[in-house]
Amino acid sequence: MRDAVRRATLAELGECGYAGLTVENIAERSGVHKTTVYRRWGNVEGLISDALELATDEPWPVPDTGSIKGDLRGIVQLVRTGFDDPELGPVSSAFVAAAMQNPDAARALHEFFVARHEQSAEVVRRAVARGELPDIIDVREVIRVAVAPVYYRLFVAHEPVTEQDADRAADAALAAARAGVL
Amino acid sequence: MRDAVRRATLAELGECGYAGLTVENIAERSGVHKTTVYRRWGNVEGLISDALELATDEPWPVPDTGSIKGDLRGIVQLVRTGFDDPELGPVSSAFVAAAMQNPDAARALHEFFVARHEQSAEVVRRAVARGELPDIIDVREVIRVAVAPVYYRLFVAHEPVTEQDADRAADAALAAARAGVL
């Protein structure tokens, strides 16, 4: 049942966004009775948080290209293409919007990014082990600095993000890591 | 009248956020009749866009410390302390939230950031003129990379932003600019 409700939440988020989300529509789409949905999830924010909690546990395809430059570019391109994806993009954007308006969703999204940073930082740890980067490095901060310009363009400055923009963001984080400021 | 309505919009945004904004409350607060507000601004999104348009024309205190390191740190600290400010912070956050949900607000916020990037890029141009940075540089991208981690922590990963985090973001952008990747 949890999985059906979660899939319905993601589908509704993708179609209607956070602003258009209702417990009734999710219940109907999932085939679960709405009183059950209300009892177990409380409200749309509870449904969003639960969907994010499941997403947090999912591994994502962290690149392993053999070089930190290729790996960081791969990570930033994954973020960019994810938001470009016609199915995944609107759902991911809806999570960001929901978290801006609701503290429960914000906590769930925070946990999602803690997990995401931790998984992605593996490429930095490997680079340190290979001697590509100095070892006194905040491995998670390299990931934050690499992906931040993509999110900034999408959700703050509302600018398009080209493939080149994404590569440049990755290269900037790498230059900072090499310079020892991260 | 435009200024009264704008001040009322900012005050309501600060108190109630985007989700709580209504034309009626803004009209009442401004002392302008609500039919006039509806006729001239249309809806809350029109009011938000107009308030942003006025903010776009305002100069902001771009630092001039004599070094690019000090100037970039100054800019990123201005962003950080702006969101920390009990009056300004909620209004700025409400603009970001509104732009995520409404295309008109997104366009207005985009224009705001075009102006902001252009004003801030002056510190990079001065550094190039002083010979502190290579001159084949995308001056606006240095600003984007410098401020992006602050916005990313606040609005995406929902993490606190310390003074040290802000300095480090500025230093990372500077290292990337010096390395010639921006």
Side-chain angles (χ1 to χ4, degrees):
Chain A
M1 179 174 78
R2 189 181 177 196
D3 196 52
V5 170
R6 185 206 176 201
R7 270 184 284 114
T9 303
L10 296 179
E12 287 288 320
L13 269 178
E15 280 175 27
C16 316
Y18 172 56
L21 210 63
T22 67
V23 174
E24 284 75 7
N25 290 350
I26 293 170
E28 191 176 327
R29 186 164 202 144
S30 68
V32 175
H33 199 280
K34 84 177 172 186
T35 54
T36 309
V37 176
Y38 272 112
R39 197 175 58 239
R40 282 200 44 172
W41 284 273
N43 52 27
V44 290
E45 283 76 24
L47 288 157
I48 289 172
S49 300
D50 194 45
L52 267 169
E53 202 180 308
L54 286 166
T56 301
D57 298 334
E58 279 173 11
W60 79 307
V62 175
D64 189 2
T65 63
S67 81
I68 182 66
K69 181 170 184 167
D71 287 354
L72 277 179
R73 285 186 167 198
I75 286 171
V76 183
Q77 294 297 349
L78 270 177
V79 172
R80 182 185 73 84
T81 54
F83 284 105
D84 253 6
D85 184 280
E87 284 193 21
L88 187 61
V91 177
S92 306
S93 300
F95 280 137
V96 179
M100 285 213 57
Q101 312 245 11
N102 178 270
D104 291 335
R107 267 187 293 274
L109 193 63
H110 171 73
E111 292 304 322
F112 173 82
F113 277 103
V114 168
R116 183 61 73 87
H117 293 159
E118 184 53 35
Q119 285 183 53
S120 307
E122 183 58 25
V123 306
V124 184
R125 287 191 203 97
R126 284 197 305 245
V128 173
R130 282 192 303 257
E132 277 193 279
L133 289 177
D135 68 352
I136 45 146
I137 215 163
D138 180 341
V139 290
R140 288 172 204 81
E141 190 66 12
V142 179
I143 303 302
R144 284 193 197 91
V145 170
V147 300
V150 171
Y151 288 95
Y152 178 72
R153 284 173 182 264
L154 288 174
F155 297 115
V156 180
H158 295 274
E159 300 179 284
V161 188
T162 65
E163 191 176 340
Q164 194 194 358
D165 292 330
D167 279 348
R168 194 160 52 167
D171 294 352
L174 178 56
R178 281 186 176 140
V181 302
L182 296 180
Chain B
M1 181 174 78
R2 188 181 178 197
D3 196 51
V5 170
R6 184 208 178 201
R7 271 184 284 114
T9 303
L10 296 178
E12 287 287 321
L13 269 178
E15 281 175 26
C16 316
Y18 171 58
L21 210 63
T22 67
V23 174
E24 284 75 7
N25 289 352
I26 293 169
E28 191 175 326
R29 187 164 204 142
S30 68
V32 175
H33 200 278
K34 82 176 175 189
T35 54
T36 310
V37 177
Y38 274 113
R39 197 174 60 239
R40 282 198 47 173
W41 284 273
N43 50 29
V44 290
E45 283 77 24
L47 287 157
I48 288 173
S49 301
D50 194 44
L52 267 169
E53 204 179 306
L54 286 166
T56 301
D57 298 333
E58 278 173 12
W60 80 308
V62 175
D64 189 3
T65 63
S67 81
I68 183 64
K69 182 169 182 167
D71 287 355
L72 278 179
R73 284 185 167 198
I75 286 172
V76 183
Q77 294 297 350
L78 270 177
V79 172
R80 182 185 73 84
T81 54
F83 283 105
D84 253 5
D85 184 278
E87 283 193 22
L88 187 61
V91 178
S92 307
S93 300
F95 280 139
V96 178
M100 283 215 60
Q101 311 246 11
N102 179 270
D104 290 336
R107 267 187 293 273
L109 193 63
H110 171 72
E111 291 306 322
F112 173 82
F113 277 102
V114 168
R116 184 58 74 87
H117 294 158
E118 185 53 34
Q119 285 183 54
S120 307
E122 184 57 25
V123 307
V124 185
R125 287 190 203 95
R126 285 196 305 246
V128 173
R130 283 193 302 257
E132 277 193 279
L133 288 176
D135 68 351
I136 44 147
I137 214 164
D138 179 341
V139 289
R140 287 172 206 81
E141 190 68 12
V142 179
I143 303 302
R144 284 194 197 90
V145 170
V147 299
V150 172
Y151 288 95
Y152 178 72
R153 282 171 184 267
L154 287 175
F155 297 116
V156 180
H158 295 274
E159 300 178 283
V161 188
T162 65
E163 191 176 341
Q164 193 194 359
D165 292 330
D167 279 348
R168 194 160 52 167
D171 293 352
L174 178 56
R178 282 186 175 142
V181 302
L182 296 180

